[in-house]
Amino acid sequence: MNFHFSFRNKLSIFCVLFAAISCTEQPIFSDFESNLTIKTLTINNLNISNYSVAPNLATNERLYVGEKNGIKIPFSFIKIGSSNYWSYNTDSSITLDSVQFKLYFEDSSKSSDLGPLELYFSPDSHFNENLSTYLDYEGFSISGWHSLGHPMVLDKTDSSYSYTYSELIWGIDSLMSLLSDTGITRTFALKYAGSDSNFIELFSEEASIEEKDPKVVLFYRRTSTSVTDSIIIDTLSSSIYSSADLSIFDPRNVEYSSSPISLSNGVGERVVLTFPFDDSSLQYGSVIRSANIIMPIASANISEEYNIIIDPIKNDSLTYTDSSSVFPEDPFIGIGYPYRLSNMPDSTSYVVSIKNMLQNISLQNENNFGFKIVSDEKNDPFESILFLLNDSSMSPKIEIIYIYNEE
């Protein structure tokens, strides 16, 4: 056994010495000559224009009611989902003590100055979460809805008694005979009375995982009998959460900026960008190292998390000429993955890579119908980006760096 151990050690030492000698640095000589050339291409003649889509903020993390920055939000709709808990209204073993509708917000100043906020109920469906816009509500009235009046406001604090958030609570016990009907759609509408110019921002179903979602809470006592025939009464509560919600944005009274091109969720402004580029724009066999759209902006006071989405347009079926028209839905269909990108601008410009798309256009794998640029739905709908088209120091452009084999 000692013989084998000694032999292994000697062999290891020999291998280390051999490797050290073999790895001594020696220059490698070659006759290889590269014909690769790096070049740049700048495209300045970009065609950039606005188009307007009636706002739908279905995936925004807030609900809004009132008026802000000229944008009117006459009402927010909330649907409460189906649940076995509704059957508690007819369960002989359950006694309902109270039924409450709850909403949540984070603004301590609103606790004492809420304004004439009112809640209404209808057993019918009045909105489509992903499609409804202000265009669908010309002449709309809630006169036939059940009025539930003004809420009670309950402020919540943490362990140090600092304000954290507030609850809006409406008692809706009187609706249980309707709510427990399996054949209805449980739609609530939130609005300010009259033409009041108040404003409030609340949590939507997108904001959290149930904790601050709009909900109906049932408080009840369950009576049961034990094996010893004693009666047991448990005091419990159960929540039924919203299944859909949507704020209706009406931007028709907004005073628009003098800047010709802007981007905003609240007013539904989006951007379409086209430019000359095809398979003949670069030398045959070129490989694009980088390709960026660079657009100067005038708005430096946006939040740090303001995301802009750019997506290549799938086809040119739309002949877009009227910038004053408002489309009920976005007429430009994006290609999406893997070309769709989301990123944030800095304080002076919006810079985004379109390398992958341009490389595939040059290879004739994709067609160039331009790009659409939109604000991410989770952005604050009252913020906007203003693009500068005629800035003397920097104009919109596409900068491309590519390599090709110069034979």
Side-chain angles (χ1 to χ4, degrees):
M1 185 162 183
N2 288 334
F3 168 77
H4 290 295
F5 177 79
S6 175
F7 177 77
R8 283 199 303 270
N9 276 272
K10 290 179 180 179
L11 182 61
S12 298
I13 293 170
F14 173 78
C15 291
V16 170
L17 289 173
F18 179 79
I21 294 171
S22 299
C23 292
T24 302
E25 290 188 8
Q26 296 290 340
I28 299 175
F29 299 98
S30 173
D31 293 330
F32 174 76
E33 292 183 5
S34 175
N35 291 322
L36 294 179
T37 300
I38 297 178
K39 297 195 70 173
T40 62
L41 171 65
T42 301
I43 303 175
N44 292 303
N45 51 334
L46 309 183
N47 181 18
I48 304 172
S49 58
N50 265 132
Y51 67 104
S52 297
V53 177
N56 176 286
L57 283 79
T59 62
N60 193 272
E61 295 180 351
R62 297 292 185 267
L63 292 172
Y64 308 90
V65 186
E67 182 176 345
K68 183 176 179 179
N69 297 350
I71 301 174
K72 292 185 177 181
I73 307 100
F75 30 74
S76 283
F77 290 123
I78 301 159
K79 287 180 184 176
I80 300 296
S82 300
S83 172
N84 291 331
Y85 293 135
W86 294 122
S87 64
Y88 285 6
N89 186 54
T90 56
D91 191 327
S92 59
S93 67
I94 291 175
T95 302
L96 290 175
D97 294 320
S98 66
V99 183
Q100 297 179 352
F101 182 90
K102 290 189 176 187
L103 295 172
Y104 301 85
F105 66 89
E106 288 179 338
D107 186 350
S108 57
S109 66
K110 287 295 181 183
S111 299
S112 57
D113 186 24
L114 188 63
L117 190 66
E118 297 183 345
L119 184 70
Y120 297 83
F121 169 77
S122 172
D124 298 315
S125 178
H126 293 269
F127 75 104
N128 182 307
E129 184 179 34
N130 297 308
L131 297 176
S132 294
T133 70
Y134 74 91
L135 298 174
D136 301 311
Y137 294 95
E138 291 290 342
F140 178 76
S141 172
I142 58 172
S143 60
W145 292 48
H146 297 266
S147 176
L148 299 167
H150 307 298
M152 176 179 70
V153 183
L154 182 62
D155 292 337
K156 297 290 187 177
T157 59
D158 58 21
S159 57
S160 62
Y161 301 102
S162 298
Y163 174 85
T164 54
Y165 64 90
S166 298
E167 290 183 356
L168 296 180
I169 304 172
W170 286 266
I172 59 171
D173 306 57
S174 60
L175 293 177
M176 274 306 293
S177 59
L178 276 174
L179 293 170
S180 59
D181 189 337
T182 58
I184 67 167
T185 300
R186 302 168 185 88
T187 306
F188 291 84
L190 191 68
K191 71 182 298 291
Y192 277 108
S195 57
D196 197 278
S197 59
N198 282 270
F199 175 79
I200 190 169
E201 177 180 316
L202 306 116
F203 287 97
S204 78
E205 63 164 339
E206 301 287 337
S208 64
I209 302 176
E210 298 185 345
E211 180 186 5
K212 294 185 179 70
D213 285 9
K215 62 174 70 75
V216 169
V217 184
L218 282 65
F219 298 90
Y220 57 94
R221 287 166 288 153
R222 186 192 298 273
T223 304
S224 59
T225 304
S226 70
V227 292
T228 59
D229 291 334
S230 59
I231 296 176
I232 300 173
I233 300 176
D234 295 318
T235 302
L236 304 166
S237 66
S238 297
S239 297
I240 307 171
Y241 298 95
S242 61
S243 58
D245 54 36
L246 179 67
S247 296
I248 302 299
F249 274 64
D250 185 349
R252 286 175 291 185
N253 295 325
V254 172
E255 294 184 7
Y256 289 90
S257 168
S258 57
S259 176
I261 301 298
S262 60
L263 197 65
S264 171
N265 278 339
V267 298
E269 287 196 327
R270 304 183 177 192
V271 173
V272 60
L273 182 154
T274 58
F275 53 92
F277 185 87
D278 57 27
D279 59 296
S280 64
S281 299
L282 304 177
Q283 282 84 350
Y284 178 78
S286 295
V287 176
I288 297 176
R289 293 188 62 182
S290 68
N292 295 320
I293 292 176
I294 302 172
M295 297 175 64
I297 61 174
S299 184
N301 59 347
I302 57 173
S303 65
E304 294 181 355
E305 297 182 354
Y306 195 97
N307 282 301
I308 298 177
I309 295 171
I310 187 167
D311 198 359
I313 297 171
K314 194 171 185 177
N315 56 59
D316 63 349
S317 60
L318 174 73
T319 301
Y320 173 70
T321 56
D322 185 5
S323 60
S324 65
S325 62
V326 177
F327 296 99
E329 297 180 55
D330 196 323
F332 296 104
I333 307 301
I335 294 177
Y337 179 84
Y339 306 116
R340 182 181 184 272
L341 296 174
S342 175
N343 70 335
M344 293 176 285
D346 60 28
S347 60
T348 61
S349 61
Y350 170 56
V351 181
V352 61
S353 172
I354 56 171
K355 169 187 171 181
N356 290 343
M357 185 62 185
L358 293 195
Q359 185 68 76
N360 278 283
I361 292 172
S362 69
L363 295 173
Q364 300 184 15
N365 295 329
E366 301 286 356
N367 295 311
N368 178 18
F369 299 124
F371 290 81
K372 68 173 183 176
I373 303 173
V374 303
S375 171
D376 189 295
E377 279 196 359
K378 295 186 183 298
N379 291 338
D380 186 329
F382 305 100
E383 291 185 347
S384 61
I385 292 283
L386 305 180
F387 294 110
L388 299 176
L389 302 188
N390 300 308
D391 189 332
S392 58
S393 62
M394 182 169 64
S395 59
K397 59 186 175 182
I398 297 175
E399 289 187 344
I400 303 169
I401 299 175
Y402 64 98
I403 301 173
Y404 73 99
N405 190 14
E406 190 172 16
E407 297 179 354

